[in-house]
């Protein structure tokens, strides 16, 4: 088993509010990890700390061949942070597409600006990715001409464009009308089956049961329970997991 990603003892505070209280998490290459937990428990902050949109105060993050440590008074350099972030991709709850760019241009943007790919190369890779997420025909549409589900699939193609080694999803379907959720989850399952390493915050328990290798429950900035979906979702060991699942009507 090759470890693709590891976080050790990550702590993160906003002012006096400690949001992440020493979290350890690792992902094997190709593993799909689903993170669940109550609103406000720190799930988004956890993902943002992995791609360093939020800066931990303590702990370390590791991808193959590179480690970033957070120690008080010795912040990592911005070059280190950028290099680390570029190896990850993020899919946001609210898509975050540029409204003035077409689907194709949205997918090309990061490849051209961040990765300095030629436009021709970025265009051909982006067309491939849009086709893969079922939107080859929509390449020239602007975000406002697309449904939420289509916009989110553009968001996934964009995240894939820069060839990330780790893909992060923050409640990717929670802003969608129910009938649009399936297409997005379908694309995510296809990526999972191709061996993409993924950390997914979601309340889609069917996705968790069918696609996750491991489910982790976070509450109040602490990892409460972790295990195969069958165990965590059907036979949780911890009272806090049971009460969360019963609140979302799963137990
Ligand atoms: P979740 O995604 O599980 O709902 P979040 O990670 O968004 O939880 O938030 C966890 C806690 O951190 C909340 O108390 C929230 O108010 C706080 N928080 C999140 N982002 C910020 C921020 N940028 N500044 C200050 N507090 C924040
Ligand atoms: Mg959140």
């Amino acid at each position: 088993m090759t470890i693709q990603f590891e976080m050790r003892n990550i702590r993160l505070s906003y002012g006096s509010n400690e949001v992440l209280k020493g979290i350890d998490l690792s992902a094997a290459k190709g593993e799909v990890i689903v993170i669940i937990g109550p609103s406000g428990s720190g799930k988004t902050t956890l993902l943002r700390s992995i791609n360093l949109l939020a800066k931990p105060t303590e702990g370390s993050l590791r991808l193959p061949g590179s480690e970033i440590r957070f120690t008080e008074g010795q912040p990592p350099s911005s070059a280190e942070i950028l290099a680390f972030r570029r190896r990850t991709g993020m899919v946001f709850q609210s898509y975050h597409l540029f409204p003035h760019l077409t689907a194709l241009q949205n997918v090309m943007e990061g490849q051209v600006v961040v990765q300095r790919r030629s436009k021709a190369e970025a265009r051909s890779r982006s067309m491939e990715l849009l086709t893969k997420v079922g939107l080859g025909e929509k390449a020239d549409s602007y975000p406002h001409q697309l449904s939420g589900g289509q916009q989110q699939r553009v968001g996934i193609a964009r995240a894939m464009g820069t060839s990330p080694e780790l893909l992060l999803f923050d409640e990717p379907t929670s802003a969608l009308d129910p009938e649009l959720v399936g297409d997005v989850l379908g694309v995510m399952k296809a990526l999972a089956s191709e061996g993409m390493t993924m950390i997914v915050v979601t309340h889609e328990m069917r996705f968790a049961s069918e696609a996750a290798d491991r489910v982790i429950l976070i509450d109040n900035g602490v990892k409460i329970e972790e295990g195969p979906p069958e165990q965590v979702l059907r036979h949780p060991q911890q009272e806090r997991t049971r009460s969360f699942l019963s609140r979302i009507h799963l137990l």
Side-chain angles (χ1 to χ4, degrees), residues 38-45 47 93 170-171 201 203:
S39 179
S41 58
K43 305 179 300 297
T44 294
T45 307
L47 292 184
Q93 181 172 7
D170 191 6
E171 302 200 34
V201 173
H203 294 117

Side-chain angles (χ1 to χ4, degrees), residues 95-194:
Y95 332 131
H96 284 349
L97 300 180
F98 290 117
H100 60 288
L101 299 182
T102 63
L104 180 66
Q105 290 165 337
N106 266 286
V107 180
M108 288 173 61
E109 178 80 5
Q111 299 175 50
V112 173
V113 174
V114 177
Q115 290 199 311
R116 310 263 163 85
R117 285 204 180 126
S118 72
K119 283 209 168 164
E121 198 188 340
R123 177 173 288 112
S124 100
R125 175 163 174 77
S126 301
M127 270 316 298
E128 254 170 55
L129 286 165
L130 283 173
T131 305
K132 189 167 161 174
V133 301
L135 294 174
E137 318 268 87
K138 299 286 186 184
D140 296 325
S141 299
Y142 287 87
H144 76 269
Q145 299 169 317
L146 300 172
S147 73
Q150 291 170 334
Q151 290 184 61
Q152 190 57 296
R153 284 184 280 149
V154 175
I156 294 173
R158 175 184 55 187
M160 291 296 295
T162 50
S163 311
E165 296 164 54
L166 175 66
L167 206 47
L168 310 168
F169 294 82
D170 191 6
E171 302 200 34
T173 60
S174 64
L176 299 178
D177 290 332
E179 76 271 23
L180 303 178
V181 167
D183 289 341
V184 171
L185 294 180
V187 166
M188 291 167 62
K189 282 187 184 168
L191 290 176
S193 69
E194 287 166 17

